[in-house]
Amino acid sequence: MASSIKDEKTYEALRDEGASKEKAARIANASANEGRSTVGKRGGEAGTYEDMTKEQLYEQAKKVGIDGRSDMTKEELIEALRDH
């Protein structure tokens, strides 16, 4: 199956920063279609997973359907969210 990522460099940078696969792909593809400066101007201030509490991470994991989240540490939740 061919990759549907149009801007691999942006995608990888976002994944390294903690963005989910879906979010990184969405932003990378928008960047390729509209230009990085256009996408960057409307970007949010989400922060990183490390800035979130364990409870916030748990709720995010619940929202995206990560199994086993109730037994995970904060670090494990961050890893699971990044790998999702």
Side-chain angles (χ1 to χ4, degrees):
M1 182 173 157
S3 174
S4 62
I5 307 301
K6 297 176 184 172
D7 185 344
E8 277 295 328
K9 184 176 179 180
T10 299
Y11 175 82
E12 291 302 327
L14 289 163
R15 291 290 290 142
D16 289 344
E17 291 173 9
S20 70
K21 291 178 183 178
E22 292 85 357
K23 181 177 181 179
R26 190 171 55 249
I27 293 170
N29 289 341
S31 174
N33 290 336
E34 302 170 37
R36 288 182 182 160
S37 62
T38 301
V39 173
K41 287 177 186 172
R42 70 171 185 251
E45 296 293 323
T48 65
Y49 287 139
E50 285 78 12
D51 295 335
M52 298 172 77
T53 66
K54 182 178 178 185
E55 293 76 22
Q56 290 170 320
L57 293 165
Y58 175 86
E59 288 303 317
Q60 184 64 26
K62 183 177 177 181
K63 185 191 293 188
V64 298
I66 294 174
D67 293 330
R69 62 189 173 270
S70 61
D71 295 325
M72 292 182 183
T73 64
K74 180 176 179 175
E75 291 74 23
E76 290 169 331
L77 286 166
I78 289 170
E79 184 177 342
L81 286 164
R82 286 189 173 145
D83 291 342
H84 177 72

